[in-house]
Amino acid sequence: MFLLTKRISATLPLIWLLLGMMQMPWLIPLPAVLMLGFLTWRHRRILTQVGSAPLASDGFAKHVMVDDLLRLGGQMLISPLLYMAGAALVSPLAG
């Protein structure tokens, strides 16, 4: 589950670059919203395993959620730059 989160997080910049190439600015928040939904689901799943799984605890769930939210926030800060870079890659080809 944690490896999946890292892989999804690593693809977010590529998605924003692709959105820039397709020139769809209204979709910029969509990848982050989907990632936030996944993180919320995973947080709730960890909380349901408290007491039965060896690594699951309330503190661990909070630590993982805060770490992932900070990473997502940082990626959201650079998403407009990645979008503009994707749009700039396509503009010479279209002209």
Side-chain angles (χ1 to χ4, degrees):
M1 183 164 38
F2 299 107
L3 294 177
L4 179 64
T5 305
K6 286 186 180 185
R7 289 180 182 160
I8 293 172
S9 183
T11 61
L12 285 178
L14 298 174
I15 293 172
W16 284 310
L17 190 67
L18 182 65
L19 287 174
M21 294 174 82
M22 296 185 323
Q23 297 184 357
M24 296 183 177
W26 59 89
L27 292 179
I28 290 174
L30 183 64
V33 168
L34 293 174
M35 183 67 174
L36 184 61
F38 174 74
L39 291 177
T40 304
W41 172 80
R42 189 184 71 172
H43 178 71
R44 289 177 182 245
R45 178 155 177 183
I46 292 171
L47 287 178
T48 59
Q49 294 177 350
V50 170
S52 61
L55 289 177
S57 70
D58 189 41
F60 175 73
K62 288 177 185 176
H63 168 73
V64 169
M65 186 66 163
V66 168
D67 183 51
D68 288 334
L69 287 177
L70 286 174
R71 182 179 300 120
L72 182 60
Q75 289 177 332
M76 276 302 296
L77 287 175
I78 63 166
S79 67
L81 297 174
L82 293 169
Y83 175 84
M84 289 187 290
L89 288 172
V90 174
S91 63
L93 299 175

